[in-house]
Amino acid sequence: MSAARDTAAARPEDGRDETLNERSDRNWSELLQEFRVLQTGTQILAGFLLTLPFQPRFGELNAFDHVLYLILVVLAVTVTLLALAPVTMHRLVFRQGAKPQLVQVSSRILMVCLAAASLLFAGIVMFVFDFVTSPAVGAWAGGAVVVLIGLVWIVGPRWIRAARDRAA
């Protein structure tokens, strides 16, 4: 490995022979793909939420459901705006040699987006089940989604790391 290569950012033991810039470009592309997946679903969901107050049965919601609805709208808009932030930042620092920093900040933003989207999905399930059936069923359904989120966020990565360690 030449002296021009950044060994801290482009580790030789990972099997890739990349410079810091090459790794940053690859990581940026991967992040953009992840943001695209996130944006599509949350933008559709945000659009759906914004149409609800114009439906005839919206007036039937109780005070709790109104508050829950407004929280969900704020979460949906937050995820949508945060998911657009890396693109905006990229435009503002384009060709300024800040790709590694952009990747680092964007990765953190993506984690916040995923957490907020997880809350949004659990809240949507709670909201719909609460309205269609009962508040108790809504709480159970929302709780079931939170359990699923825990499995995806905690158990899944641990399982993958354990499989990696067994393979090594």
Side-chain angles (χ1 to χ4, degrees):
M1 187 175 259
S2 72
R5 298 206 177 255
D6 182 334
T7 57
R11 299 182 327 247
E13 73 273 7
D14 74 359
R16 292 186 174 103
D17 188 26
E18 301 175 306
T19 64
L20 176 60
N21 287 338
E22 289 167 339
R23 178 157 298 201
S24 295
D25 288 341
R26 180 177 54 79
N27 288 340
W28 177 246
S29 293
E30 291 174 5
L31 274 168
L32 287 181
Q33 283 300 105
E34 293 167 0
F35 273 111
R36 283 184 189 108
V37 170
L38 175 74
Q39 283 176 333
T40 302
T42 54
Q43 286 174 343
I44 290 169
L45 191 53
F48 164 74
L49 283 171
L50 295 175
T51 66
L52 286 182
F54 304 103
Q55 304 303 313
R57 290 190 62 198
F58 190 79
E60 297 175 24
L61 295 178
N62 61 36
F64 172 79
D65 288 334
H66 276 117
V67 170
L68 179 57
Y69 168 77
L70 292 173
I71 290 169
L72 295 173
V73 167
V74 168
L75 275 172
V77 170
T78 299
V79 172
T80 301
L81 290 175
L82 283 175
L84 294 172
V87 175
T88 303
M89 290 187 301
H90 180 262
R91 277 297 100 207
L92 296 172
V93 299
F94 186 65
R95 293 188 177 169
Q96 294 181 15
K99 183 75 68 80
Q101 294 78 18
L102 178 64
V103 167
Q104 184 179 26
V105 169
S106 296
S107 180
R108 289 182 180 143
I109 290 172
L110 182 57
M111 292 301 289
V112 171
C113 283
L114 292 170
S118 295
L119 292 174
L120 175 63
F121 300 139
I124 289 289
V125 168
M126 181 178 176
F127 179 76
V128 170
F129 275 75
D130 177 42
F131 183 74
V132 173
T133 59
S134 71
V137 174
W140 278 101
V145 173
V146 169
V147 168
L148 179 59
I149 291 165
L151 290 171
V152 171
W153 276 71
I154 298 167
V155 176
R158 286 184 179 170
W159 182 79
I160 291 169
R161 284 191 288 271
R164 176 205 60 206
D165 293 346
R166 282 191 302 275

